Amino acid sequence: MSGLEDMRWPALSMEAVEADVVLGVALMKPLVLICSQDAELYLFLSHILGVDGFTSEPAGGVKEALALADERELQAVVLDCGPASATGSTICARFKGEPRTGGLPVIALIAPGAEDQHLDLLKAGIDESFVRPFAPAKLLDCLRMKLALPKPGSNGIENGGWISCGDLEIRLDAHRVRGNGHEVHLGPIEFNLLRLLLETPGKVFTRDELISAAWPANIHVGVRTVDVHISRLRRALKAASPSSVIRTVRSAGYSLEWPDG
């Protein structure tokens, strides 16, 4: 099997991260980080993810994976756990231990003969694991369940309602967000932040309140981390719902302003 060093990753990555533009609104595809030393496996996974509406980015090791988490707005992580590699649990533990990535779903693909890694992965906080070979549909269904995304062509869960503020809407049971009727894809942390802000527009939430609502209880989160995720949320909403403004209240926190009119 070819190694990652034989692949022209920059070209692949640029194609993979292109956004769809619908009626002038940029709708970013959910980005999945694939951690693998196997270029053939990456190409296979990136293909099935692309067909199902995801995009992907490769990483060969712990440092590269964490660096990409800083640079890109990841939605989930898929780990290739081979018999001769113990990096899967290490990467998982690092992601789960970082405030900015602690809420990301991490899924392990365990190669035959590497089943003994399962316990280490559980200790590291893995969300789901599959032993290869596996049906691609199982991975896709798992990702959509973890991210609460509807299947392609589906309108999502029909019971329950939308919470709205002007042209911005959030549907809690289906984990969906719309601006002017167009889907807005958010990571788990940004979704939880928006949910809190939108449930009480105009109220100023402290950073501690935002941390309690958006991050797992066992994760230490600093003030700067909250600011970074609020900035990401603002960027995601800017194109789809320009009238919805997240206001910074100096020394207090953040609030979602009522749209004008």
Side-chain angles (χ1 to χ4, degrees), residues 10-188:
L12 286 172
S13 299
M14 290 302 295
E15 293 174 1
V17 301
E18 288 180 353
D20 290 332
V21 179
V22 180
L23 298 178
V25 179
L27 305 178
M28 298 302 294
K29 298 178 181 179
L31 177 59
V32 179
L33 181 65
I34 301 175
C35 300
S36 177
Q37 293 286 345
D38 185 344
E40 292 182 8
L41 177 64
Y42 170 74
L43 291 173
F44 168 71
L45 292 175
S46 65
H47 173 72
I48 64 171
L49 288 170
V51 169
D52 208 54
F54 295 87
T55 188
S56 60
E57 191 79 58
V62 179
K63 290 183 178 180
E64 186 179 0
L66 292 174
L68 284 168
D70 284 334
E71 299 168 2
R72 308 297 302 281
E73 295 184 23
L74 304 179
Q75 308 293 303
V77 181
V78 175
L79 304 176
D80 174 23
C81 301
S85 172
T87 60
S89 58
T90 301
I91 294 175
C92 180
R94 291 291 299 274
F95 268 89
K96 291 299 182 179
E98 294 284 340
R100 69 185 183 280
T101 56
L104 290 177
V106 182
I107 301 169
L109 306 181
I110 303 175
E115 289 86 353
D116 57 344
Q117 295 185 30
H118 187 66
L119 181 58
D120 289 336
L121 289 165
L122 287 175
K123 291 179 179 177
I126 201 75
D127 294 282
E128 187 60 84
S129 60
F130 299 98
V131 177
R132 296 163 53 191
F134 63 94
K138 289 186 176 181
L139 174 61
L140 297 172
D141 288 345
C142 179
L143 283 168
R144 292 196 169 277
M145 180 185 69
K146 297 296 183 183
L147 298 176
L149 295 173
K151 293 184 177 180
S154 169
N155 290 324
I157 302 172
E158 292 300 325
N159 61 326
W162 293 87
I163 298 174
S164 62
C165 178
D167 56 21
L168 186 63
E169 302 172 294
I170 185 170
R171 188 165 182 172
L172 304 181
D173 57 358
H175 210 283
R176 293 174 60 193
V177 177
R178 296 191 308 206
N180 286 312
H182 299 290
E183 295 288 332
V184 180
H185 296 295
L186 299 178

